[in-house]
Amino acid sequence: MSIPTVWSLAGISNGGLGAYSIGLRQAWRFSAVIAMAGAPGWHQYAGGSPSSVERALLAQVSGFDLARNAHNTDFRFYHGRTDTGPMRPHYVEEFEALLQRKNIPYKNRWYDAGHDILYIVERREKLFEDLTRVVRNPHPAQIKMVTSDFRANRQHWLEVTRFDGYPALAEIDGKIEDSTLSIKSKGASALRIYAQDLPLSPNRELKLQINGEAVFEGKRDALGHRVNVVHQNGKWRLAYPETSTLEKKPGLSGPLTDGYYEPAVHVYGSQNESTRSLLEQSATKAARGWPLWLWFFSQPVVADSELSEAQIKNNNIVLYGTPDDNIVLKDRFQATDPDHT
């Protein structure tokens, strides 16, 4: 049994946006999450009208879409009614209405103030004194989680190891009643259960059911420290998920922002005059950070005809366009499929 921990995450303004995002992606790691004067969703802060593809990618890292992960975390948010900045009060009102519809627990407070609410929320650090008494329960009997992100695919004793329709969000619920562990999985085809973190003694009898199917029955310690289950041939069973080189999996998955963890060169296709300008604009935008921008951050942008062997050797290469637009893509296709046209 691990020791219950007190570990809070708090942020204001852009930090508030980060608290919504990080705090709800990784909710199980925190005893409390406090978002102040932030936008709950990246789709809100990005503005405009994101396409369906952009909206799906933003959902992977957006607190607005990951709110159900807060069920076992003391989740709080604070906002000013007269905030005139990019963190619009109606964004938070939309989020609060969502929480109420979904019966997701939260604590919040509105202030007759603008954007700078840090000191009235902290109350001369009394808030942080209060948070020292909020203890994370590492062994909850019930888990409600949503994710399509292999960097944030765990909540307490339950983890997603394969998704059905990446990047569509998967929803997984787990609940222990008496000696039965019932899991409902929608959008996930493989799971990992950290048996040592279940609120059951090792010698306790355990029945495991997934989507109503009986998967295991026996002593809890027979499962070891962790166990893998997969959905194959229409049934759930104890097994490791099969691997494929063309499948999203841990370490090869995204989300799109994973591209900023290592050096990269953005290579736009220059072979087609009708698409060259658009591809160069897209590459330039992504090289400054996505979905918005990253301060003091810029990666190289080059045309496909200018890409060097040294750049290929020392960087991840992000390619823009089709094989008809981008000579690098065209060369790769011809190398692996000489009959490709």
Side-chain angles (χ1 to χ4, degrees):
M1 298 283 284
S2 59
I3 299 174
T5 57
V6 176
W7 190 8
S8 299
L9 174 70
I12 186 169
S13 192
N14 278 346
L17 177 67
Y20 280 115
S21 177
I22 298 170
L24 290 172
R25 286 177 74 205
Q26 305 281 0
W28 72 286
R29 300 181 183 275
F30 302 105
S31 51
V33 174
I34 305 96
M36 297 173 280
W42 274 104
H43 66 288
Q44 297 168 323
Y45 190 41
S49 300
S51 68
S52 59
V53 172
E54 290 173 328
R55 185 67 183 83
L57 293 171
L58 289 168
Q60 292 183 298
V61 293
S62 175
F64 192 97
D65 300 275
L66 306 176
R68 74 193 316 261
N69 292 333
H71 276 277
N72 292 302
T73 298
D74 187 315
F75 176 54
R76 312 175 183 199
F77 55 94
Y78 304 93
H79 215 86
R81 288 287 185 191
T82 58
D83 191 332
T84 58
M87 314 296 188
R88 311 294 188 198
H90 74 265
Y91 294 163
V92 181
E93 291 170 350
E94 292 172 4
F95 182 61
E96 189 172 6
L98 171 73
L99 297 177
Q100 292 172 354
R101 289 196 306 271
K102 301 287 188 180
N103 294 317
I104 298 170
Y106 68 94
K107 299 172 184 175
N108 80 309
R109 183 169 178 178
W110 288 92
Y111 295 93
D112 292 325
H115 189 63
D116 188 3
I117 60 172
L118 179 62
Y119 295 108
I120 56 177
V121 173
E122 284 189 1
R123 293 175 288 125
R124 299 190 179 210
E125 299 187 359
K126 289 183 179 179
L127 171 66
F128 300 108
E129 293 176 11
D130 296 341
L131 293 175
T132 61
R133 294 184 285 274
V134 179
V135 178
R136 180 178 68 91
N137 177 10
H139 309 286
Q142 185 172 11
I143 291 174
K144 292 181 179 289
M145 67 181 295
V146 58
T147 181
S148 63
D149 175 1
F150 281 113
R151 286 191 180 273
N153 59 337
R154 180 177 174 181
Q155 295 294 332
H156 297 280
W157 40 261
L158 193 55
E159 184 177 72
V160 179
T161 54
R162 293 294 186 277
F163 295 98
D164 283 335
Y166 184 94
L169 294 170
E171 294 187 4
I172 304 93
D173 294 349
K175 187 176 183 179
I176 297 176
E177 289 184 308
D178 297 324
S179 61
T180 300
L181 170 55
S182 300
I183 297 175
K184 295 180 181 179
S185 175
K186 178 183 177 182
S189 58
L191 306 169
R192 179 174 293 136
I193 302 166
Y194 289 81
Q196 82 276 13
D197 289 336
L198 295 171
L200 293 173
S201 59
N203 60 355
R204 180 78 177 269
E205 290 291 329
L206 174 66
K207 296 178 182 179
L208 172 60
Q209 299 176 346
I210 303 180
N211 291 349
E213 300 176 28
V215 178
F216 170 84
E217 184 171 353
K219 299 287 188 182
R220 197 218 77 179
D221 58 1
L223 295 175
H225 290 298
R226 60 186 183 182
V227 61
N228 292 276
V229 293
V230 297
H231 190 252
Q232 292 177 338
N233 301 320
K235 292 187 63 176
W236 285 93
R237 62 190 184 91
L238 301 181
Y240 285 98
E242 297 178 355
T243 59
S244 167
T245 56
L246 298 178
E247 181 182 25
K248 297 292 186 180
K249 54 194 173 186
L252 185 64
S253 61
L256 190 60
T257 48
D258 271 15
Y260 303 120
Y261 281 80
E262 296 177 351
V265 175
H266 296 256
V267 183
Y268 62 89
S270 63
Q271 306 306 302
N272 188 332
E273 285 297 327
S274 64
T275 60
R276 174 179 176 137
S277 178
L278 178 61
L279 294 176
E280 184 177 5
Q281 290 174 22
S282 298
T284 302
K285 180 178 180 180
R288 292 186 58 232
W290 189 94
L292 291 178
W293 60 82
L294 298 175
W295 287 352
F296 312 114
F297 179 90
S298 180
Q299 294 173 323
V301 177
V302 300
D304 51 356
S305 58
E306 298 172 354
L307 182 66
S308 69
E309 289 298 324
Q311 288 173 320
I312 294 174
K313 180 179 179 180
N314 298 317
N315 299 273
N316 289 328
I317 305 301
V318 185
L319 301 173
Y320 297 79
T322 69
D324 292 329
D325 302 315
N326 194 309
I327 196 171
V328 180
L329 269 174
K330 184 176 182 178
D331 289 346
R332 300 297 175 183
F333 268 86
Q334 289 180 337
T336 57
D337 183 4
D339 297 326
H340 172 76
T341 57

